[in-house]
Amino acid sequence: MKILIAASEAFPFCKTGGLADVTGALAQVFSRAEDTEVVLFLPRYRNVGGGAFSLKAAGGSFLIPVGNRVETATMSRVQWGKVAVYFIENPKYFDRPGMYRAAGGDYEDNDERFLFFSRAVLEGAKFIGFKPDVIHCHDWQTGLVPAYLRTLYRIDSFYAKTASVFTIHNIAYQGMFPKETLLKAGFSWLDFTPERLEFYGGINFMKSALVFADLITTVSPTYASEIQYRPEFGHGLDGVMKHRTSDLFGILNGIDEEIWDPATDTFLERGYELKSFQRGKAAAKKALQNELGLEENKDLILAGVVSRLDHQKGLDVLLKLAPEFLDKLQFVVLGSGDPGLADALGALALQNPKRVAFRSGFDEALAHRIYGGSDIFVMPSRFEPCGLSQMIAMRYGALPVVTRTGGLKDTVYYNGEPKDSNGFAIDNPEAGELRSVLGHIVSLFGWRENWNLMVRNAMRGDYAWGKSAEAYLKLFNIAAQRRQL
Ligand code: ADP
Ligand code: GLC
């Protein structure tokens, strides 16, 4: 089977969050399955290339219509294991400081940037003669690909048998633009109907995918249900979702167990595994306390956070409560995003330098050390399509403290019995509930045997991609077969 993955980010080339971990991991896992050939398309952002990867020009250029103009696309390529990665280049669109936004907010031409990318993927695949059985698209940035396949490219024989599968990583970001974007994208007004591309008078890239993709997936079973049946989770698309209910599947994300392995993690001073976690985690905690200028004290509970700073993640709730717990807990937060939240976290750290550390920005190495050195990992998300951080934390023996929503609910078990629990969970991201679970954590931490039982449960979990990758491949087959009919 020939699989084309189109995404706006993939680790290790470009990453802002879990989307990149997932697209990168899936490309690798699919490529190792039997009888598959995998090509991954990404935009060539400013900092892509260099380092371990030397990109080669893929030769030639092609033109992409954007409204009544044309824009030029060129490509470069790198072989990444069995995956051929193609980068769509256009300096005007992609050679910028950020991937989606600059300090002032989202780029105003994100519609053009990603309609250009989406169409360039379809033209690019033709250019290299890769005729996919399935195109696997991710989030709104590639939402127009399924729509193009069934409209502008409907009569293109190259794609006559190509199916599309669209994966929702976060329905809160939809790519909504005014109706003029329809023309920039090259669609006809005939497609501007509520059943097709129109959405509240404009065009919504994610909705376009939900309408036109052959099959739809999202990243956990619980989120699949939340976005259909709970309007506050569907962000206006629950109606569209329900319409496709028989074509929607929740497939739980995994993590790359090679990248996230405390036994071989070179970012840690010394590795550890299930048998040696007590010594290993104590060393990692001590090193982290020293690195960040915190009090070196094994009896304080070290609470870690590695996160986008976004309303979704509920960190404002944690921030409100943190001062109440500073006699028992230390807080380490690594994150970037919302400047207001960053300022508040920075201020708390300044007032309590021995108990709170805040590092702003994106730092892969520090992230690893936080997972390793933390006793608990706090993630009181308001919603969480899947969440990878809680799984990484569990693999590193840091007990997650989560809300029972989306993928958090599907991966973290907590029923008050340490032997059946691998973390802590609350029903709502509210100060009262979080306060009470943190209080419980403080009392349990002294009870080493029970605590260690939970850590072992967490570390033993199966977070690998195996089963989920199989589920995707099965769906790809179904989607491809449908197109053969
Ligand atoms: P989301 O995709 O919503 O941001 P996930 O939990 O699915 O949340 O994935 C987050 C991924 O991004 C994890 O790999 C996490 O370690 C990483 N991450 C988030 N913020 C940072 C940061 N500031 N520095 C380094 N890694 C980060
Ligand atoms: C999104 C979601 C997150 C999920 C990730 C990868 O960023 O917010 O919950 O884990 O995508 O699917």
Side-chain angles (χ1 to χ4, degrees), residues 111 176-185 187 189 192 198-203:
D111 57 343
M176 267 193 275
F177 302 101
K179 62 177 187 292
E180 290 69 32
T181 298
L182 182 94
L183 297 181
K184 280 194 210 162
F187 294 116
W189 285 119
F192 197 61
E198 193 267 343
F199 187 75
Y200 292 102
I203 178 171

Side-chain angles (χ1 to χ4, degrees), residues 378-399:
V378 194
M379 215 171 158
S381 304
R382 294 191 162 84
F383 64 93
E384 197 60 74
C386 180
L388 304 175
S389 294
Q390 83 281 11
M391 292 192 258
I392 301 171
M394 288 192 275
R395 190 128 208 272
Y396 281 70
L399 296 177

Side-chain angles (χ1 to χ4, degrees), residues 17-19 22 139 168-170 219 253 308 312-313 383-388:
L19 169 64
V22 173
D139 270 358
I168 303 167
H169 294 263
N170 197 337
V219 289
N253 284 336
R308 288 186 291 115
Q312 170 187 348
K313 302 291 177 179
F383 64 93
E384 197 60 74
C386 180
L388 304 175

Side-chain angles (χ1 to χ4, degrees), residues 1-3 27-38 82 473 476:
M1 170 178 285
K2 288 189 167 167
I3 303 167
Q28 283 301 325
V29 183
F30 293 158
S31 76
R32 287 186 224 121
E34 228 170 280
D35 293 329
T36 55
E37 207 181 314
V38 178
K82 292 172 80 180
L473 290 170
F476 290 175

Side-chain angles (χ1 to χ4, degrees), residues 287-398:
L288 188 63
Q289 286 170 330
N290 285 322
E291 174 181 353
L292 299 175
L294 296 169
E295 176 184 332
E296 188 193 310
N297 183 341
K298 64 178 177 17
D299 298 323
L300 292 169
I301 301 169
L302 203 152
V305 173
V306 178
S307 182
R308 288 186 291 115
L309 301 181
D310 186 287
H311 189 66
Q312 170 187 348
K313 302 291 177 179
L315 294 171
D316 48 314
V317 184
L318 177 67
L319 180 70
K320 232 190 287 169
L321 283 184
E324 295 174 32
F325 285 91
L326 291 181
D327 56 332
K328 302 274 193 254
L329 268 73
Q330 281 175 329
F331 294 91
V332 170
V333 181
L334 166 64
S336 62
D338 179 353
L341 197 52
D343 287 349
L345 286 161
L348 188 68
L350 210 60
Q351 287 154 16
N352 307 280
K354 295 288 162 196
R355 294 297 160 104
V356 182
F358 171 60
R359 292 292 180 274
S360 148
F362 199 90
D363 187 337
E364 201 66 37
L366 180 58
H368 281 249
R369 292 195 289 272
I370 294 177
Y371 290 115
S374 298
D375 298 300
I376 59 174
F377 188 88
V378 194
M379 215 171 158
S381 304
R382 294 191 162 84
F383 64 93
E384 197 60 74
C386 180
L388 304 175
S389 294
Q390 83 281 11
M391 292 192 258
I392 301 171
M394 288 192 275
R395 190 128 208 272
Y396 281 70

